[in-house]
Amino acid sequence: MLTTRSKKINKSEMSLAERLYLPAILNGMSITFRHMFKKDATIRYPEQEREFAPVYRGQHVLKRDDAGAERCTACGLCAIACPAEAITMDAAERKPGEEHLYREEKYASKYEINMLRCIFCGMCEEACPKEAIFLTDRIVHTEYDRQGFIYGKDLLVEKMDHRIDVSKRQTTDVLVFKKGDQSERHNQLGK
Amino acid sequence: MISFILYKFLFALIFFVVALVVAMYSTYGERKVAAFMQDRVGPNRAGPFGILQPLADGVKMFMKEEVIPNTSDRKLFLLGPSLAMLTALMTGVVIPWGSPMNFNGHTFPLQLTDINIGILYVFGVVSLGVYGIMIGGWASNNKYSLLGALRASSQMISYEIAMGLAIIALVMKTGTLSLGAIVSQQHHTWNVFIQPLSFLIFLICAFAETNRAPFDLPECETELVGGYHTEYSSMKLGFYLFAEYINMFISSAIISCLYFGGYNIPFQDHLHLSGNLLPILQFLVLFAKILFFIFFFMWVRWTIPRFRYDQLMNLGWKGLLPLAILNILITGVVLWATGAFK
Amino acid sequence: MISLYLFYFLSFVAILSALLMVFSKNPVHSVLYLVMTFFAIAGHYFLLNAQFLGIVHIIVYAGAIMVLFLYVIMMLNLNQAIEPMKSNLQKLAGIISAGVLSLVLIGAMRTTEIKAAASTASEIGFVSSLGKILFSEYLLPFELASILLLASMVGAVFLSKKELD
């Protein structure tokens, strides 16, 4: 016996009571009748939403820092990490006077994620050294054409008046891991 | 004379409307019952608790594009659903809905016509019900439709025999073929207690005759796409689906009348009702019985899986038919022993 | 008066659909016209106050036998295209046998005198009176007919089981 769940199948001839079929029917009908009074498992969707798991990975967000400057520095690590090759970007140099818009001297002038290619694996957020891209618990909406699924900066960068909370994705474990990762990288550079 | 015709006409009209509304709400009820039995909610968007769902479905059915296949037999293709609907509605005229009502000294019977061969009439119309399915299935010129039609016809003929023999035992006991008389005979004891075996056979055959699960092989979607109505669309499909629900309503009414006392209320002599209150109450009681059987039809549908075709034939010919004959024999012996034949 | 008009109407329907049944090319249409004829004849039974006969006529002929006919025709998939050409000899034989049959019928009709239905005969079509007659006066023919049906059933079962011999 490999498992305790295996059932012995009885292949002997059916008795008269079994061949009558009626007791089995009555049994089945009592089961369905009992189910009429059970609590239903439905979540009435538009009014009521299922709670997402804390590790749920949905639509991406490009974070700004608290002063409102974009964190992304267009290093391209996310695009390299992406197994589905869904991310493309163009880098540009920050002009004087744009310090309040971009945190570093280099920024992404174009940043696109193709949501049809994306497999929501979260590699991009793992690769990001600047804590700029996160996957959130928002659902990518459906569209009528393929073009609509290519999300540009207008959809990805968070608005300052409508900030997106990613603290669930930034658990201490993640932060420690990222820190360790970075210091390791610094060590390697120092060698 | 004129008032008589007018009354009958009005009564028929009311019956039609009631049958159609009941059929409409049976579709809603079916979906709700299915949902409850599967721990779901069911339709709940159109109106409070979704009670406007049948209307929405009706509008949808009417607005849909009507497709008539090029290779079909056009006239018969149109005749099929009409016949299905016609035969479904025709059965209802012999059902007694209550004892007669009195207004200003005039008596108004709550039965469209009490012909003295009411049961045979029901039988005749039921046996014609298969034409709608057969003609529709054949005229579609589609092999799945044809297979569905053939299944329907052989199934209906097979189960009609057992059904007839089950009723014969009942008729031996009642001694009349008129539904009105059979119902009024059950004033004290319902026939189901006297003829339980006959009731069981009749019930199973009623499932087969209305093409309801577990006997819904003519429209078995896992094998035959949509069965006999594969090629039908729009309200013609609606007619077929509707006919099934009307059939269910009528069979529930007939089962209630033949075996469950029809409009008789248990212990109605002790209620001391008088005037027109009694017929109204009787009508409501009959309606409750009918609704219970409609629920029963649905309950069975969402419990029992479909038969395989050879199992269906085995049950009909080797199970129910001998059982029905045995029942006739037992009934005969009992009646002879109690001296009812003298 | 109404019953007279009904009689003419039903007769017209019966004859028309019988003719259509003979002349229509499609066997399925033929069967359906025949069903219509049976309905018209059942209507005649009702006019004669023989409700039992009428309804049994519908149940047995329209409801069972014609359904089986339709069933077989659908299974065989008969249509005009594959209908075999009949030889002239067959056509001649058909015409002669039909002519002989009509001669016999006409001969029988000629000698029949039409009697007005007796006033007491209106009860004859009811179930109870019919049953009494069947099980007393005509008991032997009734039972013989049932034995005939049984024999044909046994024959059909025998023919369908070829491995028996």
Side-chain angles (χ1 to χ4, degrees), chain A residues 129-141:
Chain A
K130 293 291 177 189
E131 305 280 294
I133 188 163
F134 288 97
L135 274 71
T136 61
D137 55 3
R138 293 173 300 167
I139 292 167
V140 176
H141 292 290

Side-chain angles (χ1 to χ4, degrees), chain A residues 29 32 35 40-42 47, chain B residues 36-37 39 41 45 299 303-304:
Chain A
M29 288 181 64
T32 42
H35 268 272
D40 42 85
T42 315
E47 293 95 42
Chain B
F36 290 154
M37 284 180 178
D39 298 346
V41 187
R45 291 286 145 186
W299 185 7
T303 304
I304 303 174

Side-chain angles (χ1 to χ4, degrees), chain A residues 20-22 25, chain B residues 155 159-160 162-163 166 196-215 255 259 296-297 300 304 307 312 315-316 319-321 323:
Chain A
L20 266 179
Y21 195 44
L22 282 174
I25 288 179
Chain B
Q155 172 182 322
Y159 279 79
E160 238 164 53
M163 195 182 207
L197 194 58
S198 161
F199 163 67
L200 191 68
I201 296 166
F202 188 87
L203 186 71
I204 294 171
C205 292
F207 275 91
E209 293 288 318
T210 47
N211 288 328
R212 293 281 303 181
F215 300 101
I255 290 172
Y259 295 99
F296 187 77
F297 268 86
V300 168
I304 303 174
F307 278 104
L312 172 97
L315 178 67
L320 297 182
L321 189 65
L323 213 58

Side-chain angles (χ1 to χ4, degrees), chain B residues 265-283:
Chain B
I265 311 165
F267 311 111
Q268 65 186 17
D269 293 339
H270 303 288
L271 292 173
H272 300 296
L273 291 167
S274 57
N276 289 330
L277 195 63
L278 185 67
I280 291 169
L281 211 62
Q282 283 175 335
F283 172 75

Side-chain angles (χ1 to χ4, degrees), chain A residues 27-181:
Chain A
N27 187 23
M29 288 181 64
S30 77
I31 288 172
T32 42
F33 195 73
R34 257 179 279 142
H35 268 272
M36 297 218 359
F37 305 105
K38 283 197 176 155
K39 198 174 155 288
D40 42 85
T42 315
I43 291 169
R44 290 154 174 79
Y45 168 60
E47 293 95 42
Q48 207 181 354
E49 280 182 29
R50 183 188 290 273
E51 211 156 291
F52 285 125
V55 291
Y56 183 86
R57 298 189 294 261
Q59 189 191 323
H60 313 68
V61 64
L62 284 173
K63 288 292 285 180
R64 293 173 191 271
D65 65 7
D66 292 334
E70 282 176 27
R71 301 177 78 113
C72 178
T73 174
C75 63
L77 281 175
C78 47
I80 289 166
C82 183
E85 303 191 346
I87 304 177
T88 53
M89 67 185 78
D90 282 347
E93 202 179 334
R94 183 180 67 185
K95 300 275 172 353
E98 287 182 335
E99 283 85 0
H100 67 288
L101 288 178
Y102 313 111
R103 210 164 72 137
E104 318 270 337
E105 294 98 71
K106 187 164 145 257
Y107 72 95
S109 62
K110 193 186 97 180
Y111 193 103
E112 284 179 355
I113 299 178
N114 186 338
M115 292 298 175
L116 290 176
R117 299 200 66 126
C118 180
I119 58 170
F120 301 97
C121 61
M123 295 284 205
C124 43
E125 99 186 290
E126 226 164 273
C128 187
K130 293 291 177 189
E131 305 280 294
I133 188 163
F134 288 97
L135 274 71
T136 61
D137 55 3
R138 293 173 300 167
I139 292 167
V140 176
H141 292 290
T142 47
E143 299 277 344
Y144 285 105
D145 57 350
R146 302 184 140 255
Q147 206 56 42
F149 281 105
I150 298 170
Y151 280 28
K153 275 182 79 174
D154 53 331
L155 288 168
L156 290 171
V157 178
E158 69 170 343
K159 311 275 184 293
M160 276 316 278
D161 52 352
H162 187 255
R163 298 208 67 168
I164 284 131
D165 179 32
V166 289
S167 51
K168 261 192 245 168
R169 307 286 300 165
Q170 277 178 315
T171 55
T172 44
D173 284 356
V174 174
L175 290 172
V176 165
F177 171 76
K178 286 224 166 187
K179 217 171 193 176
D181 196 36

Side-chain angles (χ1 to χ4, degrees), chain B residues 73 76 79 115-117 120-125 127-128 130-131 134-135 137-139 146 149-151 153-154 157 160 177 309, chain C residues 26 28-29 31-32 35 39 46 51-52 55-56 58-59 61-68 70-71 73-75 77-78 126-127:
Chain B
D73 190 321
L76 294 186
L79 184 68
I115 43 181
N116 54 15
I117 44 160
L120 287 177
Y121 169 81
V122 170
F123 247 108
V125 178
S127 68
L128 296 177
V130 71
Y131 276 108
M134 281 189 92
I135 290 173
W138 182 80
L146 183 66
L150 292 178
R151 281 185 177 190
S153 53
S154 49
I157 289 179
E160 238 164 53
L177 286 166
Y309 204 73
Chain C
N26 193 324
V28 173
H29 291 182
V31 169
L32 294 177
V35 173
F39 269 103
F46 288 125
Q51 295 158 341
F52 179 75
I55 208 83
V56 165
I58 287 179
I59 293 175
Y61 284 95
I65 292 181
M66 280 298 117
V67 171
L68 285 177
L70 205 55
Y71 183 86
I73 286 171
M74 283 179 180
M75 286 277 261
N77 195 22
L78 297 172
F126 284 20
V127 192

